[in-house]
Amino acid sequence: MALGMFRRDSAVSIRTKLIIIFIIIKVIPLVILAWLSWQGAKLLGTRVAEQTVQVAGEMRRSVKEVGERTTEDAIRALDIRSRENVERMSTDTAQAIA
């Protein structure tokens, strides 16, 4: 620290010296801390936005996959039931003719 500005023969008052020391000890670190906090908050916001987009895309793919599987299972079940009904109707018709 430049002690030359705090010599006894200088014309700087005690009040001015105390204000300068206060600024050096308290205000400058506070400004640096506020700036670092601001940068951290901006970075956090950016990362949250990116991850939200990623999670939304994964959810969309999952919902689409579940929908496709459910639809395929329903079609398969309807095909089996239709085939069984056609076979039963064919058997009933054959028995009615015979």
Side-chain angles (χ1 to χ4, degrees), residues 75-88:
I75 290 171
R76 191 175 307 113
L78 287 172
D79 285 345
I80 291 169
R81 185 166 180 175
S82 296
R83 187 178 326 121
E84 289 172 353
N85 284 338
V86 168
E87 288 173 359
R88 184 183 48 79

Side-chain angles (χ1 to χ4, degrees), residues 5-58:
M5 77 170 155
F6 295 115
R7 289 195 318 234
R8 289 182 186 246
D9 59 343
S10 68
V12 180
S13 70
I14 297 272
R15 181 174 184 226
T16 305
K17 291 177 185 177
L18 288 173
I19 291 172
I20 291 171
I21 290 172
F22 175 78
I23 290 173
I24 291 171
I25 292 174
K26 296 291 183 179
V27 175
I28 292 174
L30 183 62
V31 169
I32 292 170
L33 183 62
W35 180 79
L36 289 172
S37 296
W38 182 261
Q39 295 301 318
K42 283 181 13 181
L43 180 62
L44 178 64
T46 302
R47 287 186 179 173
V48 166
E50 290 170 356
Q51 288 181 353
T52 301
V53 169
Q54 180 182 2
V55 168
E58 290 173 6

